[in-house]
Amino acid sequence: MTFKKIFLFLSVISFYGTYAQKDGYWDKERATTKEFLVSAGDRVAINTEDLPVGTTEIVYRITLLDKNQEMTSSLVSVLKAIPDPYGIGQGSAGAVFLMSKISGDDKCTYSIFTTNEDAKKYVAEGKTDVACFVQSEPVSKDAKRLSLDKSSCLKQNTTTIWFGFESKNWILSQKIVLEVVPWVDSKLNRGWNQDNKNEIISLCKTSTMAQKMANSDDFCVCILNKIIKQYRYSEFQKLLPIEKNKVYKDFGNACYNDADISKNVYNDLRAQIASLMKQQKYNEAIPKLNTIINDGKATALDYSSIGYCYILTKQYAKAIKALTEGQKLDDTELLVKLNLAHVYLLNDDYSTAKSIYKKYQNQNVTDSLSWTEKTKLDFAVFQKAGIQSKDYEKVLKLF
């Protein structure tokens, strides 16, 4: 029974260890390893090698050596046994694992700075008020992990950090080894940090396509994802303005035609159209309806709406053409047929209008609105808009 419990415990640890791993790598090529002397009671500042784009965490180790001591194993070799920073972040046990197996009798204090100017000021004056981390208790060795989300020493655009050391040996020089290894996030390594992404989103929001949408978030995120997949940020920045415009246009067209985004785009347009028609702004609704039609996304109801708008703006020939197209899409849509009857009536073709009015007079145009009632409502709207016909009463008497 005890063996089963132990096995289960180890299995759970293994499971969480596997699924907690981060998508990235220890960049051993750009690790910092510097061995240097600090004069008795003196201060020095040591900078790291350039941190790679996409660095989200660093692990550092500081070891003070006696005169003839040498490191038995480098920090890089130690980290080979750790797949990602998750294991190091589990408290003091992880830090102890990173510790050098040796150290001298000497001790030092150290601080970490984010600018060269602050590091120089520390060397000159010993002030640590602007340091992002201070180890004020003298140590002979130390190891820590700094992460983007938990330490002010590391930011998205950080390329270098500075370690300031102060010797606590007032007689002899100290030998110190500083090792720093960055963890690089595979996605961020392409250079697309939060600011760069927002730059693309902001430009997208001002595009002609985005302006057609009530909510262009999904559309702009789609373009961003395609750009990120195709280019590193540095590569994208090197494109000429005309090349960038083509990238936006090509990816915009691809995203505009994406099924889910397209559906949302046209539903947004229809909502805008319904609002404009309710406000009797038929001339503003027509271009938006034409956008849907020209893009090949129109339904019979869209044709019914534009036909209705053409009637209210007295463009009867255009109304007949649009409504005829709508009838071809769905011959059972009675709103299209009713608007056809209206436009024939107003275009002085009473006989054609009469046959349509009578044919469907006993049906509903929607689940709750009858053909007759809708006809009365439309005639009231036409008259209010100054569109008169001597045949309104004749049509109503047919019912």
Side-chain angles (χ1 to χ4, degrees):
M1 187 67 181
T2 303
F3 174 78
K4 288 184 177 178
K5 287 182 178 178
I6 292 172
F7 177 77
L8 179 61
F9 175 72
L10 292 174
S11 298
V12 170
I13 291 175
S14 175
F15 174 85
Y16 281 108
T18 299
Y19 286 93
Q21 287 184 13
K22 299 184 178 182
D23 184 16
Y25 57 93
W26 295 112
D27 194 330
K28 297 183 281 288
E29 300 301 319
R30 284 174 280 193
T32 298
T33 301
K34 294 186 178 182
E35 185 175 317
F36 50 93
L37 293 174
V38 183
S39 300
D42 207 355
R43 287 185 295 270
V44 297
I46 305 295
N47 62 286
T48 63
E49 303 294 344
D50 288 345
L51 299 175
V53 174
T55 297
T56 57
E57 329 205 18
I58 64 166
V59 168
Y60 69 85
R61 184 169 73 177
I62 296 165
T63 310
L64 278 75
L65 302 175
D66 284 341
K67 185 176 181 182
N68 297 317
Q69 282 181 308
E70 293 183 0
M71 301 296 296
T72 56
S73 60
S74 69
L75 182 58
V76 166
S77 64
V78 172
L79 290 174
K80 283 182 180 178
I82 307 175
D84 65 40
Y86 178 81
I88 302 170
Q90 304 309 300
S92 59
V96 168
F97 179 77
L98 296 173
M99 285 289 197
S100 170
K101 293 180 181 178
I102 62 170
S103 69
D105 295 326
D106 280 343
K107 292 185 178 182
C108 73
T109 58
Y110 71 91
S111 302
I112 304 176
F113 302 90
T114 56
T115 69
N116 187 29
E117 290 72 20
D118 291 339
K120 286 179 177 178
K121 191 172 182 180
Y122 165 79
V123 172
E125 303 174 14
K127 292 183 178 179
T128 60
D129 53 316
V130 292
C132 59
F133 178 81
V134 177
Q135 176 60 45
S136 55
E137 185 70 26
V139 293
S140 61
K141 58 185 177 181
D142 202 5
K144 283 186 173 58
R145 163 180 167 257
L146 304 178
S147 62
L148 196 66
D149 56 342
K150 293 181 180 179
S151 173
S152 61
C153 295
L154 203 59
K155 294 182 172 58
Q156 283 189 340
N157 297 320
T158 298
T159 57
T160 310
I161 56 177
W162 287 259
F163 286 77
F165 297 90
E166 182 172 1
S167 169
K168 292 304 175 182
N169 187 325
W170 295 97
I171 302 173
L172 301 173
S173 296
Q174 294 179 329
K175 182 162 59 170
I176 300 177
V177 178
L178 170 66
E179 300 166 279
V180 182
V181 183
W183 172 266
V184 180
D185 183 289
S186 295
K187 290 183 179 179
L188 293 179
N189 181 239
R190 296 181 64 80
W192 291 101
N193 60 34
Q194 202 66 34
D195 291 338
N196 298 338
K197 289 178 180 179
N198 285 332
E199 177 187 328
I200 301 297
I201 294 292
S202 297
L203 286 171
C204 171
K205 291 281 187 179
T206 63
S207 68
T208 304
M209 288 184 181
Q211 295 295 317
K212 295 179 181 179
M213 309 171 199
N215 187 339
S216 58
D217 289 353
D218 288 347
F219 173 70
C220 289
V221 168
C222 175
I223 290 178
L224 173 64
N225 287 337
K226 288 183 181 296
I227 291 175
I228 288 175
K229 187 176 181 180
Q230 182 75 21
Y231 300 96
R232 288 180 176 273
Y233 180 70
S234 58
E235 294 170 344
F236 185 74
Q237 288 299 90
K238 290 176 183 177
L239 294 179
L240 297 172
I242 192 170
E243 292 175 315
K244 285 185 180 180
N245 289 337
K246 187 175 188 306
V247 168
Y248 276 110
K249 183 178 179 182
D250 291 346
F251 288 154
N253 287 333
C255 291
Y256 199 71
N257 292 322
D258 177 89
D260 291 334
I261 293 175
S262 177
K263 182 180 178 181
N264 291 334
V265 168
Y266 297 112
N267 285 343
D268 286 345
L269 272 175
R270 290 184 181 105
Q272 294 174 40
I273 289 162
S275 175
L276 289 169
M277 291 177 68
K278 189 175 181 180
Q279 299 173 61
Q280 300 176 15
K281 296 179 179 180
Y282 306 109
N283 59 323
E284 293 182 33
I286 288 171
K288 295 183 182 294
L289 282 160
N290 271 324
T291 295
I292 298 175
I293 292 169
N294 293 336
D295 288 349
K297 303 295 183 181
T299 64
L301 285 175
D302 293 322
Y303 280 104
S304 175
S305 294
I306 198 168
Y308 189 78
C309 290
Y310 280 138
I311 291 171
L312 268 298
T313 54
K314 298 183 181 181
Q315 300 180 76
Y316 302 139
K318 289 182 178 180
I320 292 171
K321 181 182 178 182
L323 292 164
T324 302
E325 290 297 318
Q327 194 169 230
K328 290 176 185 176
L329 277 181
D330 186 356
D331 193 47
T332 66
E333 182 51 69
L334 294 192
L335 284 172
V336 172
K337 293 187 180 295
L338 182 57
N339 283 329
L340 261 177
H342 291 338
V343 74
Y344 285 134
L345 178 72
L346 296 171
N347 204 38
D348 296 326
D349 189 352
Y350 176 75
S351 61
T352 302
K354 177 183 175 182
S355 64
I356 300 174
Y357 282 126
K358 284 189 65 67
K359 185 175 181 179
Y360 302 102
Q361 64 179 326
N362 295 321
Q363 297 192 42
N364 279 6
V365 293
T366 69
D367 58 354
S368 58
L369 184 62
S370 72
W371 174 278
T372 301
E373 189 60 33
K374 181 68 166 91
T375 302
K376 291 177 181 178
L377 291 172
D378 287 346
F379 283 177
V381 172
F382 297 160
Q383 287 176 312
K384 186 177 179 180
I387 300 173
Q388 303 298 334
S389 171
K390 63 182 186 302
D391 297 320
Y392 286 151
E393 289 301 321
K394 288 168 66 176
V395 170
L396 295 177
K397 285 178 181 179
L398 294 174
F399 307 146

